[in-house]
């Protein structure tokens, strides 16, 4: 978690740092801070709260200089406070740094450094890194190194890093070497932007948009030494590296609000387009199948696959559950979806004919990354379904499929879910057509898929109605979300959305399983949201709905247009277009996303920045 920015060049750096941090706030927003170096002096402004608080500080007390670093925090060690905010200072102020990650052996290091006389100001794990680097720097000087030479700073960083256990993305300034920025990575992402006589640094490419489109992704165990004119990358084991330059194709329009009040609402309304993007160039009418450029597996290997494991966290796990159902239905390949946080330690038996797919919007989720690393170690082909191009998981997987959904900035994932589902359906079609699925069946599915952007557009027409319904239910404190088959993952996703942005307790459950326990929760203050479009077990779900009504529970139904029966049974009905059962998550999730959005607004919650959360969970 946490967002990092850095710059060395010719611009006055404060405004780039603050703007960059605003763009990275989705990674954490407990506190923020910047440090700017000029003429042998490093000035810091930091504060608990949002980046805007720091911006206000800078307005009151400006800092000038053309080299600097910044940080937005999601607290792991140490409470949220002004003191614990980054940047942190080492020893006598020679070293100032920001950190994303967790130092697991910080207590041991701290004790050792305290014995050496270092005084700690904060309760963070990060402060040990600052002191440790400063200690190593002083040792280098004792050995006769020049304190104003960049090489002395690099050596100090290299030596210090060998003593750290855990994960880090670091941006480091040295007081006596002004126009130098050192950065290092192990487990936490960092991207370097290359400009004209300037270099940028950030946790992801978002802060660089509008400044440069040339980037270099730092790899684990690499240190980069940046000045305005030079970029040197050194790998801990392999020595100096030639930077591999990538081009990012994002424009400032991708990251503004585009007239919407919140990113979440903007991203909900982008879904007809993002679903289209997830299909673009992938549907092959001639062969009645889907095709993917990046799987990197030959047809023979793909035909030998006899088991699929999908893994992810949160919303991505929910999309994976839809994937499990559709892969088994279409391709008849046994499939499981595993929580990445469990899979990484569970060591389940897997043959080399098992294919592993990580599902992740950010491509940086620590548990998902660890799970695929573990599977890779055991020789399984690991692939990724990922949104962020160039992210760690996208680069470490053997192959994969991008969502092409554009930046998702709202902490609550919306468009990524529908894009993941769309990709998984196409994957199921692809795997099925390599096996038993007929040409006409493949064609039929392609035609149904092509209609989905417009179907989702129609589903969005419920917006006003959902807003009204939200007002009626906004005061309730417990909700059940119920659905069966393809509508069960949607129920889980609806409940997660409500929990994370409205702070309202909600449980997603298979509608029939509800009578084995959760039905005890039902009363007139516990609404049940039934995801109940038409399908082959519709009458069974109606029975489950009746069971709730019989116990006095209010019911909101998400039903198909043309369902005449439901209005008599439910207290409120939101209609969505009628589509095939395997496609229903793409339309039924829309009112659920909107419902959580509007309930959150009614309750005065911060929709895009919900408390305690961050967009990318890069810690275990
Ligand atoms: O970036 P990822 O898809 O790997 O993230 C996984 C989860 O952290 C994420 O889906 C989380 O549950 C969202 N906040 C849900 O809205």
């Amino acid at each position: 978690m946490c967002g990092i920015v850095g710059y060395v060049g010719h611009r006055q750096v404060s405004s780039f740092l603050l703007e960059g941090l605003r763009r990275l706030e989705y990674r954490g927003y407990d506190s923020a801070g910047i440090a700017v170096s000029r003429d042998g002096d490093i000035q810091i402004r930091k504060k608990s709260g949002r980046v805007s608080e720091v911006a206000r500080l800078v307005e009151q007390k400006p800092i000038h200089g053309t080299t600097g670093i910044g940080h937005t925090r999601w607290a792991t060690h140490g409470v949220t406070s002004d003191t614990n905010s980054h940047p942190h200072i080492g020893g006598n102020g020679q070293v100032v740094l920001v950190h994303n990650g967790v130092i697991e052996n910080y207590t041991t290091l701290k004790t050792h450094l305290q014995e050496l006389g270092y005084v700690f100001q904060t309760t963070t794990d990060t402060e040990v890194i600052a002191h440790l680097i400063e200690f190593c720097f002083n040792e280098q000087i004792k050995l006769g190194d020049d304190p104003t030479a960049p090489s002395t700073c690099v050596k100090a960083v290299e030596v210090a890093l060998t003593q750290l256990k855990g994960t880090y993305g670091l941006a480091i300034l040295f007081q006596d070497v002004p126009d130098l920025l050192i950065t290092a990575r192990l487990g936490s992402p960092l991207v370097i932007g290359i400009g004209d006589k300037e270099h940028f640094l950030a946790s992801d490419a978002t802060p660089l948009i509008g400044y440069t489109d040339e980037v270099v992704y730092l790899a684990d165990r690499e240190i980069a030494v940046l000045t305005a004119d030079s970029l040197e990358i050194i790998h801990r084991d392999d020595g100096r590296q030639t930077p591999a330059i990538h081009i990012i194709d994002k424009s400032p329009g991708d990251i503004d609000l585009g007239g919407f009040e919140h990113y979440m609402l903007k991203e909900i309304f982008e879904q007809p387009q993002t679903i289209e993007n997830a299909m673009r160039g992938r549907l092959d009418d001639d062969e009645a199948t889907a095709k993917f450029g990046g799987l990197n597996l030959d047809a023979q290997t793909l035909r030998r696959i006899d088991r699929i494991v999908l893994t992810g966290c949160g919303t991505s796990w929910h999309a994976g559950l839809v994937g499990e159902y559709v892969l088994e239905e279409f391709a008849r390949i046994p499939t499981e979806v595993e929580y990445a946080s469990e899979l990484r330690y569970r060591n389940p038996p897997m043959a080399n004919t098992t294919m592993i797919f990580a599902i992740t919007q950010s491509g940086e989720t620590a548990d998902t990354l660890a799970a695929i690393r573990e599977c890779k170690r055991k020789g399984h082909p690991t692939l990724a379904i990922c949104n962020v191009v160039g992210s760690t998981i996208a680069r470490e997987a053997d192959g994969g499929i991008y969502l092409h959904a554009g930046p998702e900035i709202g902490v609550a994932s919306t468009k990524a879910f529908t894009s993941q589902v769309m990709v998984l359906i196409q994957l199921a079609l692809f795997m099925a057509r390599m096996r038993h699925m007929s040409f006409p069946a493949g064609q039929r599915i392609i035609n149904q898929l092509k209609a989905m952007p417009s179907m989702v557009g129609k589903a969005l027409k419920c917006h006003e109605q959902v807003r009204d319904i939200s007002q009626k239910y906004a005061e309730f404190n417990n909700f059940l979300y119920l659905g069966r088959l393809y509508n069960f993952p949607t129920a889980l996703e609806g409940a997660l959305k409500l929990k994370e942005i409205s702070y309202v307790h909600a449980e997603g459950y298979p509608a029939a399983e509800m009578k084995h326990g959760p039905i005890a929760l039902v009363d007139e203050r516990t609404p049940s949201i039934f995801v109940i479009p038409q399908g082959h077990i519709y009458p069974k779900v109606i029975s489950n709905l009746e069971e709730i009504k019989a116990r006095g529970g209010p019911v909101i139904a998400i039903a198909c247009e043309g369902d005449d029966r439901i209005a008599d049974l439910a207290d409120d009905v939101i209609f969505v277009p009628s589509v095939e059962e395997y496609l229903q998550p793409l339309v039924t999730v829309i009112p659920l996303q909107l419902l959580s959005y509007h309930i959150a607004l009614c309750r005065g919650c911060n929709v895009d920045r919900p408390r305690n959360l961050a967009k990318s969970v890069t810690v275990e």
Side-chain angles (χ1 to χ4, degrees):
M1 233 72 97
C2 305
I4 287 179
V5 284
Y7 177 85
V8 52
H10 47 78
R11 295 168 199 258
Q12 280 303 315
V13 73
S14 308
S15 58
F16 165 74
L17 296 177
L18 290 167
E19 176 55 24
L21 291 181
R22 264 186 220 108
R23 294 185 191 182
L24 286 181
E25 260 194 325
Y26 73 87
R27 299 179 66 89
Y29 34 86
D30 295 341
S31 59
I34 63 171
V36 175
S37 153
R38 185 159 95 164
D39 302 335
D41 177 38
I42 300 177
Q43 294 266 321
I44 295 176
R45 304 281 182 273
K46 61 180 191 172
K47 195 151 186 26
S48 68
R50 306 284 300 269
V51 175
S52 51
E53 303 281 328
V54 180
R56 210 162 299 132
L57 273 184
V58 173
E59 225 176 271
Q60 289 158 3
K61 225 172 148 205
I63 30 179
H64 302 288
T66 57
T67 304
I69 55 178
H71 187 269
T72 178
R73 181 172 186 237
W74 186 84
T76 57
H77 292 65
V79 295
T80 302
S81 66
D82 292 353
T83 315
N84 281 346
S85 313
H86 298 219
H88 291 296
I89 307 169
N92 299 321
Q94 177 60 244
V95 174
V96 174
L97 59 76
V98 294
H99 168 226
N100 171 26
V102 172
I103 301 307
E104 289 162 10
N105 60 337
Y106 87 99
T107 40
T108 319
L109 291 170
K110 187 170 178 174
T111 311
H112 179 55
L113 286 159
Q114 280 171 327
E115 281 162 10
L116 290 169
Y118 285 86
V119 179
F120 281 74
Q121 313 290 342
T122 79
T123 50
T124 64
D125 54 341
T126 300
E127 196 182 354
V128 295
I129 315 175
H131 290 310
L132 186 61
I133 295 176
E134 180 140 345
F135 169 75
C136 296
F137 181 80
N138 291 335
E139 292 297 294
Q140 291 299 134
I141 293 166
K142 280 189 205 153
L143 291 173
D145 283 3
D146 176 358
T148 60
S151 57
T152 309
C153 308
V154 175
K155 264 190 236 158
V157 172
E158 282 175 335
V159 175
L161 294 186
T162 58
Q163 299 178 47
L164 300 181
K165 288 204 175 79
T167 55
Y168 53 78
L170 290 166
I172 311 157
L173 301 176
F174 283 80
Q175 184 174 257
D176 292 342
V177 192
D179 301 314
L180 175 76
L181 169 59
I182 298 180
T183 178
R185 169 192 165 145
L186 180 65
S188 302
L190 285 169
V191 188
I192 296 161
I194 302 172
D196 184 14
K197 297 199 184 321
E198 58 184 348
H199 285 104
F200 305 85
L201 174 73
S203 294
D204 72 29
T206 326
L208 313 185
I209 296 171
Y211 291 94
T212 178
D213 55 5
E214 289 190 5
V215 301
V216 173
Y217 296 103
L218 206 63
D220 275 349
R221 295 185 177 77
E222 283 183 347
I223 294 178
V225 185
L226 308 173
T227 66
D229 302 310
S230 65
L231 159 62
E232 189 186 357
I233 297 184
I234 309 151
H235 188 282
R236 191 168 78 188
D237 308 320
D238 306 331
R240 190 162 306 181
Q241 304 290 303
T242 311
I245 297 175
H246 299 259
I247 304 295
I248 46 167
D249 63 347
K250 291 187 190 124
S251 67
D254 291 332
I255 50 166
D256 63 30
L257 277 166
F260 286 88
E261 207 180 325
H262 296 99
Y263 283 109
M264 182 181 179
L265 193 62
K266 178 189 179 214
E267 287 156 9
I268 291 172
F269 274 87
E270 279 174 356
Q271 288 176 104
Q273 188 57 54
T274 49
I275 287 175
E276 179 95 56
N277 293 348
M279 289 189 286
R280 181 160 297 122
R282 290 180 174 155
L283 294 178
D284 182 342
D285 290 291
D286 295 335
E287 303 290 336
T289 188
K291 55 180 190 206
F292 302 102
L295 282 185
N296 300 338
L297 293 176
D298 58 43
Q300 215 181 351
T301 311
L302 284 163
R303 267 191 209 96
R304 272 205 309 269
I305 298 297
D306 58 8
R307 182 175 168 222
I308 296 175
V309 173
L310 306 169
T311 190
C313 306
T315 291
S316 296
W317 189 93
H318 297 155
L321 190 55
V322 180
E324 175 183 321
Y325 289 8
V326 75
L327 278 156
E328 292 195 339
E329 182 182 335
F330 285 8
R332 313 299 302 155
I333 303 173
T335 303
E336 295 122 70
V337 56
E338 289 261 5
Y339 285 111
S341 52
E342 292 291 303
L343 180 62
R344 63 184 291 184
Y345 295 118
R346 226 167 60 74
N347 197 20
M350 286 193 217
N352 58 10
T353 46
T354 301
M355 179 162 71
I356 289 91
F357 260 103
I359 307 174
T360 170
Q361 188 286 128
S362 61
E364 302 294 350
T365 302
D367 288 323
T368 311
L369 177 60
I372 66 157
R373 279 183 179 162
E374 186 62 23
C375 294
K376 257 181 104 148
R377 190 170 296 127
K378 291 166 185 157
H380 301 289
T382 50
L383 302 157
I385 294 174
C386 182
N387 193 34
V388 178
V389 176
S391 56
T392 307
I393 293 177
R395 284 182 293 119
E396 289 203 10
D398 298 313
I401 308 171
Y402 278 121
L403 302 180
H404 298 307
E408 191 182 64
I409 294 169
V411 166
S413 187
T414 52
K415 62 178 179 174
F417 173 78
T418 45
S419 296
Q420 287 164 341
V421 168
M422 181 45 94
V423 163
L424 285 160
I425 293 171
Q426 292 174 93
L427 180 68
L429 168 65
F430 170 72
M431 298 298 273
R433 285 285 291 136
M434 298 188 102
R435 292 169 167 75
H436 60 274
M437 185 182 271
S438 71
F439 185 89
Q443 265 182 331
R444 213 168 31 247
I445 288 168
I446 287 185
N447 291 336
Q448 289 160 358
L449 293 183
K450 284 182 180 167
M452 287 318 292
S454 129
M455 292 297 177
V456 172
K458 285 184 187 151
L460 283 164
K461 295 215 158 67
C462 69
H463 185 202
E464 305 276 296
Q465 187 202 359
V466 174
R467 195 174 52 199
D468 296 343
I469 290 177
S470 308
Q471 280 160 12
K472 182 168 161 191
Y473 292 97
E475 300 301 317
F476 288 72
N477 289 324
N478 290 295
F479 284 75
L480 288 173
Y481 281 70
L482 303 166
R484 293 179 79 166
L485 301 182
Y486 282 106
N487 301 303
F488 166 50
T490 318
L492 292 175
E493 178 57 10
L496 176 62
K497 288 291 88 91
L498 190 70
K499 278 184 272 211
E500 66 182 331
I501 60 165
S502 309
Y503 321 141
V504 171
H505 172 243
E507 291 213 31
Y509 240 78
E513 184 66 17
M514 161 276 302
K515 61 185 173 291
H516 298 285
I519 197 165
L521 295 171
V522 171
D523 61 18
E524 64 288 352
R525 296 293 300 163
T526 306
S528 293
I529 319 263
F530 265 85
V531 189
I532 184 171
Q534 295 293 334
H536 71 286
I537 59 161
Y538 174 81
K540 307 273 184 204
V541 194
I542 287 286
S543 305
N544 302 143
L545 190 155
E546 300 267 23
E547 287 153 15
I548 298 281
K549 286 302 302 172
R551 284 156 183 85
V555 167
I556 305 168
I558 313 297
C560 274
E561 277 161 5
D563 182 341
D564 303 328
R565 193 170 161 200
I566 196 81
D568 296 333
L569 298 172
D571 298 272
D572 291 282
V573 183
I574 302 162
F575 288 109
V576 292
S578 173
V579 295
E580 294 295 318
E581 287 187 46
Y582 72 93
L583 293 167
Q584 284 170 351
L586 295 172
V587 288
T588 53
V589 79
I590 302 289
L592 301 186
Q593 294 169 343
L594 289 167
L595 190 71
S596 60
Y597 173 78
H598 283 293
I599 289 182
L601 284 190
C602 291
R603 295 174 74 100
C605 301
N606 186 334
V607 169
D608 283 333
R609 302 283 176 265
R611 71 182 180 205
N612 303 341
L613 292 176
K615 183 74 180 158
S616 310
V617 185
T618 58
V619 292
E620 185 172 351

